[in-house]
Short mmCIF file of all heavy atoms in Angstrom, two decimals:
data_model
loop_
_atom_site.label_atom_id
_atom_site.label_comp_id
_atom_site.label_asym_id
_atom_site.label_seq_id
_atom_site.Cartn_x
_atom_site.Cartn_y
_atom_site.Cartn_z
N ALA A 8 -13.02 35.06 16.48
CA ALA A 8 -12.11 36.18 16.53
C ALA A 8 -12.26 37.01 17.79
O ALA A 8 -11.28 37.49 18.33
CB ALA A 8 -12.30 37.05 15.29
N GLN A 9 -13.55 37.15 18.27
CA GLN A 9 -13.78 37.98 19.43
C GLN A 9 -13.17 37.41 20.70
O GLN A 9 -13.07 38.12 21.71
CB GLN A 9 -15.31 38.15 19.63
CG GLN A 9 -15.97 39.04 18.58
CD GLN A 9 -16.14 38.36 17.25
OE1 GLN A 9 -15.92 37.16 17.15
NE2 GLN A 9 -16.51 39.11 16.22
N ASP A 10 -12.81 36.15 20.68
CA ASP A 10 -12.20 35.52 21.87
C ASP A 10 -10.73 35.83 21.99
O ASP A 10 -10.08 35.51 22.99
CB ASP A 10 -12.40 34.01 21.83
CG ASP A 10 -13.88 33.63 21.88
OD1 ASP A 10 -14.66 34.40 22.46
OD2 ASP A 10 -14.25 32.57 21.33
N ILE A 11 -10.14 36.45 20.96
CA ILE A 11 -8.71 36.75 20.97
C ILE A 11 -8.48 38.12 21.59
O ILE A 11 -9.18 39.08 21.28
CB ILE A 11 -8.16 36.74 19.52
CG1 ILE A 11 -8.46 35.41 18.83
CG2 ILE A 11 -6.64 37.00 19.51
CD1 ILE A 11 -8.10 35.39 17.37
N LYS A 12 -7.53 38.18 22.49
CA LYS A 12 -7.18 39.46 23.14
C LYS A 12 -6.43 40.33 22.10
O LYS A 12 -5.42 39.92 21.55
CB LYS A 12 -6.33 39.22 24.35
CG LYS A 12 -6.13 40.49 25.19
CD LYS A 12 -5.35 40.16 26.46
CE LYS A 12 -5.18 41.43 27.30
NZ LYS A 12 -4.44 41.15 28.56
N PRO A 13 -6.95 41.52 21.81
CA PRO A 13 -6.33 42.37 20.79
C PRO A 13 -5.04 43.04 21.27
O PRO A 13 -5.05 44.17 21.72
CB PRO A 13 -7.41 43.38 20.48
CG PRO A 13 -8.20 43.49 21.75
CD PRO A 13 -8.18 42.12 22.37
N THR A 14 -3.93 42.29 21.15
CA THR A 14 -2.63 42.86 21.52
C THR A 14 -1.68 42.70 20.34
O THR A 14 -1.88 41.89 19.42
CB THR A 14 -2.05 42.10 22.73
OG1 THR A 14 -1.85 40.70 22.39
CG2 THR A 14 -3.03 42.16 23.92
N ARG A 15 -0.59 43.45 20.38
CA ARG A 15 0.43 43.38 19.31
C ARG A 15 1.06 41.97 19.27
O ARG A 15 1.33 41.44 18.22
CB ARG A 15 1.50 44.41 19.58
CG ARG A 15 1.05 45.88 19.45
CD ARG A 15 0.81 46.27 18.02
NE ARG A 15 0.34 47.63 17.92
CZ ARG A 15 -0.03 48.19 16.77
NH1 ARG A 15 0.04 47.48 15.67
NH2 ARG A 15 -0.46 49.44 16.75
N LYS A 16 1.25 41.41 20.44
CA LYS A 16 1.85 40.08 20.52
C LYS A 16 0.97 39.02 19.84
O LYS A 16 1.45 38.23 19.06
CB LYS A 16 2.08 39.71 22.00
CG LYS A 16 2.67 38.31 22.17
CD LYS A 16 2.86 37.97 23.65
CE LYS A 16 3.43 36.57 23.80
NZ LYS A 16 3.60 36.20 25.24
N ASN A 17 -0.35 39.07 20.14
CA ASN A 17 -1.25 38.13 19.51
C ASN A 17 -1.35 38.35 18.00
O ASN A 17 -1.52 37.40 17.24
CB ASN A 17 -2.65 38.22 20.15
CG ASN A 17 -2.70 37.62 21.53
OD1 ASN A 17 -1.87 36.80 21.89
ND2 ASN A 17 -3.69 38.02 22.32
N LEU A 18 -1.26 39.60 17.58
CA LEU A 18 -1.29 39.88 16.17
C LEU A 18 -0.07 39.26 15.47
O LEU A 18 -0.20 38.66 14.39
CB LEU A 18 -1.33 41.40 15.92
CG LEU A 18 -1.32 41.85 14.45
CD1 LEU A 18 -2.56 41.31 13.73
CD2 LEU A 18 -1.28 43.38 14.37
N MET A 19 1.08 39.40 16.07
CA MET A 19 2.30 38.81 15.48
C MET A 19 2.21 37.32 15.46
O MET A 19 2.62 36.66 14.47
CB MET A 19 3.54 39.26 16.31
CG MET A 19 3.84 40.74 16.21
SD MET A 19 5.21 41.24 17.24
CE MET A 19 6.54 40.25 16.57
N GLU A 20 1.63 36.70 16.51
CA GLU A 20 1.47 35.25 16.54
C GLU A 20 0.53 34.77 15.42
O GLU A 20 0.80 33.76 14.74
CB GLU A 20 0.95 34.80 17.91
CG GLU A 20 1.98 34.91 19.00
CD GLU A 20 1.40 34.53 20.37
OE1 GLU A 20 0.18 34.25 20.44
OE2 GLU A 20 2.19 34.49 21.35
N ILE A 21 -0.55 35.49 15.21
CA ILE A 21 -1.50 35.12 14.18
C ILE A 21 -0.86 35.27 12.80
O ILE A 21 -1.06 34.43 11.90
CB ILE A 21 -2.80 35.97 14.28
CG1 ILE A 21 -3.64 35.46 15.44
CG2 ILE A 21 -3.58 35.92 12.99
CD1 ILE A 21 -4.97 36.16 15.57
N GLU A 22 -0.11 36.34 12.62
CA GLU A 22 0.55 36.55 11.32
C GLU A 22 1.54 35.42 11.03
O GLU A 22 1.67 34.96 9.91
CB GLU A 22 1.27 37.90 11.31
CG GLU A 22 0.30 39.09 11.24
CD GLU A 22 1.00 40.43 11.42
OE1 GLU A 22 2.17 40.44 11.87
OE2 GLU A 22 0.38 41.44 11.11
N ASP A 23 2.25 34.96 12.08
CA ASP A 23 3.15 33.85 11.91
C ASP A 23 2.40 32.55 11.53
O ASP A 23 2.82 31.80 10.66
CB ASP A 23 3.98 33.62 13.19
CG ASP A 23 4.98 34.69 13.45
OD1 ASP A 23 5.32 35.43 12.48
OD2 ASP A 23 5.42 34.83 14.60
N ARG A 24 1.27 32.34 12.20
CA ARG A 24 0.45 31.17 11.91
C ARG A 24 -0.12 31.21 10.50
O ARG A 24 -0.22 30.21 9.81
CB ARG A 24 -0.69 31.04 12.92
CG ARG A 24 -0.23 30.67 14.33
CD ARG A 24 -1.43 30.48 15.25
NE ARG A 24 -2.28 29.38 14.79
CZ ARG A 24 -3.48 29.16 15.29
NH1 ARG A 24 -3.98 29.93 16.24
NH2 ARG A 24 -4.20 28.14 14.86
N ILE A 25 -0.51 32.41 10.07
CA ILE A 25 -1.02 32.56 8.71
C ILE A 25 0.06 32.23 7.68
O ILE A 25 -0.19 31.49 6.71
CB ILE A 25 -1.56 34.01 8.51
CG1 ILE A 25 -2.86 34.21 9.27
CG2 ILE A 25 -1.76 34.30 7.00
CD1 ILE A 25 -3.37 35.61 9.23
N GLU A 26 1.26 32.74 7.91
CA GLU A 26 2.35 32.47 6.97
C GLU A 26 2.65 30.98 6.91
O GLU A 26 2.81 30.41 5.82
CB GLU A 26 3.58 33.24 7.42
CG GLU A 26 4.79 33.05 6.49
CD GLU A 26 6.01 33.82 6.93
OE1 GLU A 26 5.93 34.50 7.98
OE2 GLU A 26 7.08 33.70 6.26
N LEU A 27 2.69 30.32 8.08
CA LEU A 27 2.96 28.89 8.13
C LEU A 27 1.83 28.10 7.47
O LEU A 27 2.06 27.15 6.70
CB LEU A 27 3.13 28.46 9.58
CG LEU A 27 3.44 26.97 9.81
CD1 LEU A 27 4.76 26.59 9.16
CD2 LEU A 27 3.49 26.65 11.29
N SER A 28 0.62 28.48 7.73
CA SER A 28 -0.55 27.77 7.17
C SER A 28 -0.62 27.96 5.66
O SER A 28 -0.98 27.02 4.93
CB SER A 28 -1.84 28.25 7.82
OG SER A 28 -1.84 27.99 9.21
N GLU A 29 -0.31 29.14 5.18
CA GLU A 29 -0.31 29.36 3.73
C GLU A 29 0.75 28.54 3.03
O GLU A 29 0.50 27.98 1.94
CB GLU A 29 -0.12 30.85 3.43
CG GLU A 29 -1.33 31.71 3.76
CD GLU A 29 -1.09 33.19 3.57
OE1 GLU A 29 0.10 33.61 3.51
OE2 GLU A 29 -2.06 33.95 3.45
N ARG A 30 1.93 28.46 3.66
CA ARG A 30 2.98 27.61 3.07
C ARG A 30 2.54 26.14 3.07
O ARG A 30 2.75 25.42 2.08
CB ARG A 30 4.29 27.76 3.84
CG ARG A 30 5.00 29.08 3.60
CD ARG A 30 6.50 28.97 3.90
NE ARG A 30 6.77 28.42 5.20
CZ ARG A 30 6.99 29.17 6.28
NH1 ARG A 30 6.96 30.48 6.17
NH2 ARG A 30 7.24 28.61 7.44
N GLY A 31 1.96 25.70 4.19
CA GLY A 31 1.47 24.35 4.27
C GLY A 31 0.39 24.06 3.24
O GLY A 31 0.35 22.99 2.61
N HIS A 32 -0.51 25.03 3.06
CA HIS A 32 -1.59 24.89 2.06
C HIS A 32 -1.03 24.74 0.67
O HIS A 32 -1.45 23.88 -0.10
CB HIS A 32 -2.51 26.10 2.15
CG HIS A 32 -3.64 26.09 1.15
ND1 HIS A 32 -3.53 26.70 -0.06
CD2 HIS A 32 -4.86 25.52 1.19
CE1 HIS A 32 -4.64 26.54 -0.76
NE2 HIS A 32 -5.47 25.81 0.01
N ASP A 33 -0.05 25.57 0.30
CA ASP A 33 0.57 25.49 -1.01
C ASP A 33 1.28 24.16 -1.22
O ASP A 33 1.17 23.54 -2.29
CB ASP A 33 1.57 26.65 -1.21
CG ASP A 33 0.86 28.01 -1.25
OD1 ASP A 33 -0.36 28.03 -1.50
OD2 ASP A 33 1.55 29.04 -1.05
N THR A 34 1.98 23.70 -0.18
CA THR A 34 2.70 22.42 -0.27
C THR A 34 1.73 21.28 -0.46
O THR A 34 1.94 20.39 -1.30
CB THR A 34 3.53 22.20 0.98
OG1 THR A 34 4.49 23.26 1.14
CG2 THR A 34 4.31 20.87 0.89
N LEU A 35 0.64 21.28 0.30
CA LEU A 35 -0.34 20.22 0.20
C LEU A 35 -1.08 20.26 -1.16
O LEU A 35 -1.39 19.18 -1.71
CB LEU A 35 -1.37 20.34 1.33
CG LEU A 35 -0.88 19.92 2.71
CD1 LEU A 35 -1.92 20.25 3.78
CD2 LEU A 35 -0.56 18.44 2.75
N GLU A 36 -1.30 21.44 -1.68
CA GLU A 36 -1.94 21.55 -2.99
C GLU A 36 -1.03 20.94 -4.06
O GLU A 36 -1.48 20.23 -4.96
CB GLU A 36 -2.23 23.00 -3.33
CG GLU A 36 -3.56 23.50 -2.83
CD GLU A 36 -3.96 24.81 -3.46
OE1 GLU A 36 -3.04 25.63 -3.77
OE2 GLU A 36 -5.16 25.04 -3.66
#
Side-chain angles (χ1 to χ4, degrees):
Q9 289 76 8
D10 297 332
I11 304 173
K12 189 175 181 180
T14 63
R15 295 287 178 185
K16 180 181 178 181
N17 286 339
L18 179 60
M19 292 176 61
E20 289 178 354
I21 284 185
E22 289 173 345
D23 290 341
R24 290 184 63 190
I25 288 175
E26 181 180 359
L27 181 62
S28 298
E29 287 176 340
R30 287 205 306 266
H32 178 267
D33 293 341
T34 301
L35 286 173
E36 274 194 327

